Amino acid sequence: MKKKLCMICLIALMTTGCGKIPKLSNGDDAVITYENGHMISANDLYEKMKDSFALEALITLSDTYILESEFESYKDEAKEYAEAHVKAYIEQYGDKEKFLQAVQGAGYSTIEAYQEYMYLNYMQMHAIEEYAKDQITDEEVEDYYNNTIKGDIDLSHILITADVTKDMTDDEKKEAEKKAKETVEEIIKKLKDAEDVKEEFKNLSKEYSKDESHKETGSLGKITYGDLSENYDELLDAAYKLKDGEFSTSVITTELGYHVILKTGSYEKESLEDLKDEIIDKLAQKLRSKEADISVTALQHYRKKHGAEIQDSELQKQYANYIQNLLASFKNTNN
């Protein structure tokens, strides 16, 4: 609704025509004039807007200027993203008119206004990412490299899942889980008895594995920490303890189910210099997920860096309250 009102104000400004702008007796520019000589001034409009949505518009204008200055080379990518995003939505809705109705329902007067929002949002996300990267120290990078980064391994797995359904009782679910684990133990026994473990693993994968994407051979290819979510660290911990050609002899559990794994190859890890950017990206991503309020801190950083100062005292107060409320909301979420 705020954006709709803003557009109405802009339209009002345009209706004064391209000639000389009428002025009130105090010298203020008029925005709207009436037959009886009454006028509404630009100052009246400004004061009214301050009470409703001026801060939102001000932050949009300010951040657009700051981030375009700070990340000038990123503007084209952000623009392309916003255009592609809008194009995809228009196709999804069938035509522009239907999409326009949708964006108006969300508070945007035009499709262009929504596209501008997407553009700025993309620039802001990039700024937050870059800020997070700047917080990562060389010591943190080196520590991560020494204690977390390992060389790739060639890993194969067989995934077994319990045949559990929603309508099962707790006892029935426990029984299904028990059978799944027994299947894993059966596979391990067959591998122990095999003359050619690698070939037998492929055959058992075809017969048993519930991982349809890797069922033919069981191979996951080259893999290391970070390639999968942290939920699979137990699987990788077990894999790195194996020698090449060895398979797991106990049940390995992840959120997907139960696994038997076979390690078929090991590789030296790349140098710190080659992996530094990748490590910084990973550490910055962890920082963003850990510190929810970093989005506020990052944008404040760039605003201060460019010396942005709100001159209107009322808007200064509104901005301070806005930041305070944002930080409080993140704090409450974390608690």
Side-chain angles (χ1 to χ4, degrees):
M1 183 63 187
K2 292 178 178 179
K3 293 181 178 65
K4 290 180 183 178
L5 289 172
C6 187
M7 183 55 66
I8 291 171
C9 293
L10 290 173
I11 292 171
L13 282 167
M14 290 188 290
T15 57
T16 59
C18 299
K20 185 177 179 181
I21 298 176
K23 293 184 180 291
L24 278 69
S25 58
N26 63 2
D28 287 348
D29 289 340
V31 177
I32 301 178
T33 60
Y34 298 89
E35 289 182 349
N36 63 1
H38 180 70
M39 300 181 189
I40 295 178
S41 73
N43 191 58
D44 292 333
L45 177 61
Y46 173 72
E47 291 297 325
K48 189 67 177 176
M49 288 173 66
K50 279 202 302 184
D51 295 333
S52 51
F53 57 91
L55 181 63
E56 179 184 349
L58 185 62
I59 291 173
T60 296
L61 288 169
S62 179
D63 279 2
T64 299
Y65 167 73
I66 290 171
L67 300 183
E68 284 184 343
S69 300
E70 186 74 21
F71 305 106
E72 184 175 1
S73 62
Y74 201 72
K75 292 191 309 185
D76 288 343
E77 182 176 330
K79 182 179 179 182
E80 289 172 6
Y81 167 82
E83 289 174 350
H85 192 88
V86 166
K87 182 179 179 182
Y89 265 127
I90 291 173
E91 290 177 358
Q92 180 181 330
Y93 279 88
D95 57 52
K96 281 188 175 182
E97 287 303 316
K98 290 181 180 178
F99 180 52
L100 176 59
Q101 292 176 8
V103 298
Q104 287 177 336
Y108 300 90
S109 300
T110 64
I111 292 175
E112 289 73 19
Y114 176 75
Q115 186 167 310
E116 288 173 3
Y117 159 75
M118 292 304 303
Y119 167 79
L120 178 57
N121 182 256
Y122 200 74
M123 292 291 287
Q124 288 172 328
M125 290 300 101
H126 179 67
I128 294 165
E129 290 172 4
E130 292 302 309
Y131 175 81
K133 290 179 187 179
D134 288 341
Q135 308 314 301
I136 307 304
T137 66
D138 289 340
E139 290 76 12
E140 288 174 312
V141 172
E142 188 171 345
D143 181 70
Y144 188 89
Y145 177 80
N146 292 331
N147 297 303
T148 304
I149 295 292
K150 296 183 181 296
D152 288 343
I153 58 174
D154 281 323
L155 188 66
S156 298
H157 85 139
I158 297 171
L159 172 66
I160 303 300
T161 58
D163 295 326
V164 174
T165 59
K166 292 181 179 179
D167 57 349
M168 281 184 171
T169 64
D170 289 343
D171 288 340
E172 288 173 332
K173 290 177 181 178
K174 288 180 181 178
E175 183 62 26
E177 297 287 349
K178 180 182 176 182
K179 287 183 178 179
K181 292 180 180 179
E182 288 174 349
T183 300
V184 170
E185 291 168 356
E186 181 183 340
I187 292 170
I188 292 171
K189 184 178 184 304
K190 289 183 178 182
L191 287 171
K192 288 180 178 179
D193 295 336
E195 293 183 7
D196 187 336
V197 171
K198 192 172 182 179
E199 189 62 30
E200 180 68 4
F201 199 93
K202 289 181 182 179
N203 295 333
L204 291 171
S205 179
K206 290 178 184 178
E207 181 179 355
Y208 290 100
S209 186
K210 300 298 183 181
D211 182 357
E212 296 299 329
S213 299
H214 305 94
K215 189 178 181 71
E216 281 301 305
T217 63
S219 176
L220 296 172
K222 287 185 179 181
I223 196 168
T224 187
Y225 290 101
D227 292 337
L228 303 173
S229 75
E230 293 181 356
N231 295 319
Y232 299 93
D233 281 356
E234 182 182 344
L235 184 148
L236 287 171
D237 288 343
Y240 275 102
K241 291 175 183 176
L242 298 174
K243 295 179 181 178
D244 291 354
E246 287 186 341
F247 57 87
S248 56
T249 55
S250 59
V251 178
I252 299 172
T253 307
T254 71
E255 62 179 13
L256 289 179
Y258 307 107
H259 304 257
V260 182
I261 60 174
L262 171 66
K263 183 179 177 182
T264 57
S266 302
Y267 303 87
E268 290 292 328
K269 65 181 179 181
E270 297 178 58
S271 69
L272 173 57
E273 183 179 352
D274 290 338
L275 292 175
K276 186 173 182 179
D277 289 344
E278 180 182 332
I279 293 172
I280 290 174
D281 285 343
K282 288 179 179 179
L283 291 175
Q285 185 177 357
K286 284 187 176 182
L287 180 63
R288 295 198 307 273
S289 62
K290 180 182 177 181
E291 298 185 12
D293 62 352
I294 195 171
S295 58
V296 180
T297 306
L299 294 177
Q300 280 186 291
H301 163 78
Y302 291 112
R303 291 164 190 160
K304 290 177 181 177
K305 179 180 177 180
H306 286 259
E309 294 184 8
I310 300 175
Q311 301 301 315
D312 187 290
S313 59
E314 176 58 33
L315 290 176
Q316 278 183 350
K317 292 178 184 177
Q318 289 182 24
Y319 178 75
N321 290 333
Y322 164 75
I323 295 298
Q324 186 177 355
N325 291 336
L326 273 181
L327 293 174
S329 67
F330 285 124
K331 184 177 180 180
N332 292 334
T333 300
N334 291 335
N335 292 337

